[in-house]
Amino acid sequence: MRSKGSPERTGPVALGKLITELAPKARPEPYDLTPGGTGRKRLAADAGMSVWAVGRMLRGETLPRVENLYGLAEALGADEGLLLDTAGYRNRSDHAKRTNKPVLSVANPPTPEAIADSLGITHPFVRKMLISSIIEAVRLQREADQSSDDEPGGTVVAR
């Protein structure tokens, strides 16, 4: 358990503090987040969020959805990675360990497992879902290719 005085590095509180620090420095026009200011309303509109959600985020009560972090980054002129890391949606050490991998050719298509690896999908349940979806998509595509060779305009129905 954290001590009462120790600052949090990731999570709702850390993100709220970061947004509060970045908002007055945003360009072309800073956001005034002080009580009575119009900054929260403008930030909400620019980020595609509700004013209520922005308020809860700034107070460190909740995290916004990932897609809203991209809107916040754009509105604030901030690095998307910084917001994702601060929110705790992405592990900094995992991101730092990744290396650029060579582009795979169509002649040597990647395996579903390699695709999951390249996307950084490590959670067992999510990984299994992704791999099975890829396998099913490939099967359906092969059926579609075969039926289009046999009869023009044929449709494929998932079984």
Side-chain angles (χ1 to χ4, degrees):
M1 186 167 192
R2 297 176 199 261
S3 67
K4 199 170 186 179
S6 69
E8 291 187 33
R9 292 181 176 195
T10 61
V13 173
L15 183 66
K17 288 179 184 178
L18 178 63
I19 301 295
T20 301
E21 291 170 12
L22 293 174
K25 302 172 191 172
R27 297 287 174 244
E29 188 177 346
Y31 296 94
D32 177 14
L33 301 181
T34 59
T38 60
R40 286 183 184 204
K41 186 174 182 179
R42 280 188 34 248
L43 181 59
D46 292 348
M49 298 172 65
S50 69
V51 177
W52 177 79
V54 168
R56 293 198 60 181
M57 174 192 64
L58 292 173
R59 289 189 300 273
E61 295 172 2
T62 62
L63 285 172
R65 295 185 311 226
V66 173
E67 59 267 20
N68 291 127
L69 281 180
Y70 292 106
L72 285 166
E74 186 175 333
L76 297 169
D79 177 53
E80 296 167 348
L82 175 63
L83 297 184
L84 289 167
D85 290 341
T86 303
Y89 285 128
R90 188 173 74 171
N91 186 322
R92 289 182 193 156
S93 62
D94 288 349
H95 183 66
K97 290 177 194 172
R98 290 185 192 160
T99 59
N100 289 336
K101 296 181 176 143
V103 176
L104 300 170
S105 72
V106 176
N108 225 354
T111 64
E113 291 81 6
I115 294 170
D117 290 342
S118 69
L119 294 172
I121 307 295
T122 58
H123 188 279
F125 178 74
V126 176
R127 187 177 176 87
K128 186 175 182 177
M129 276 184 28
L130 175 64
I131 291 169
S132 63
S133 294
I134 293 169
I135 291 168
E136 180 65 7
V138 169
R139 184 188 68 75
L140 289 170
Q141 183 61 51
R142 286 184 181 144
E143 282 185 20
D145 292 345
Q146 287 175 354
S147 70
S148 66
D149 290 344
D150 296 340
E151 8 175 299
T155 58
V156 175
V157 178
R159 293 181 190 144

